[in-house]
Amino acid sequence: MQARTCILVLDDDEEIRQLLDEYLTKSGFDIVTTADGIELLAYLERNSYPDLILLDVMMPGDDGFTLCQKIRRHSNVPIIMLTAVSDETDQIIGLEIGADDYVAKPFNPRQLMARIKALLRRVQVNDE
C-alpha cells in the first residue's frame, strides 16, 4: 500500500491554512499546517520532510525567502511559494533562492492543484 503524499502548508493566515487543508485533504493529500517559521522548523526537526511545501512569503519573523534558504540547506523538497505580492522581482528572488514555483494570492485552487500535481510528477520522474 502506497503512502499518501504529504504537503506541509505554512501561512500565517488561519483562513488560508484552513482552506488549503480542506481542499487538499479532499483531493487525497495528507496535510500538515504551520503558522510561522518557528513551527515549521520545529516540525522539520522532529519529522521526515514532506513531499511538498507550500510556503507563504510575507510573515512575521522569518519570511518565506529566509525559510526557503534554510530548507534548501537540508533538503530538495519541492517548494511552492505563495504570496500576496505579485511583484516580478519577488518571484525572481524566490526562484533564485530555491523555490520551484510561485503562486500569487488570491489564487485559483484548481490552478494551485495543477501546479502541485505537475511538480510532484516531475519529482517522481527524477526519482526513478
Side-chain angles (χ1 to χ4, degrees):
M1 186 169 176
Q2 186 175 353
R4 287 175 24 141
T5 300
C6 179
I7 297 177
L8 189 148
V9 175
L10 170 62
D11 200 301
D12 60 328
D13 184 322
E14 185 174 353
E15 283 185 39
I16 291 176
R17 284 195 313 273
Q18 288 177 344
L19 169 89
L20 288 170
D21 187 359
E22 287 176 30
Y23 186 77
L24 295 171
T25 298
K26 286 178 184 175
S27 298
F29 296 104
D30 286 334
I31 305 303
V32 175
T33 63
T34 57
D36 60 39
I38 294 169
E39 276 185 40
L40 169 76
L41 296 174
Y43 175 86
L44 294 176
E45 283 181 21
R46 293 186 317 267
N47 301 280
S48 59
Y49 275 77
D51 297 295
L52 185 138
I53 297 176
L54 294 176
L55 182 58
D56 186 21
V57 172
M58 295 174 51
M59 295 179 295
D62 283 347
D63 64 17
F65 297 129
T66 302
L67 293 168
C68 183
Q69 289 174 312
K70 288 180 180 182
I71 292 166
R72 281 292 171 250
R73 289 186 199 129
H74 305 283
S75 175
N76 285 324
V77 60
I79 297 173
I80 297 176
M81 307 283 282
L82 300 174
T83 184
V85 179
S86 58
D87 180 32
E88 263 186 25
T89 304
D90 279 354
Q91 292 180 22
I92 292 167
I93 291 169
L95 294 168
E96 286 179 343
I97 62 170
D100 297 286
D101 202 351
Y102 211 97
V103 177
K105 297 176 189 174
F107 52 84
N108 178 318
R110 288 187 63 201
Q111 181 190 33
L112 178 61
M113 179 62 66
R115 289 172 179 267
I116 288 169
K117 288 180 177 181
L119 186 52
L120 289 171
R121 271 193 313 271
R122 284 194 302 270
V123 171
Q124 290 171 348
V125 167
N126 289 336
D127 287 346
E128 292 176 356

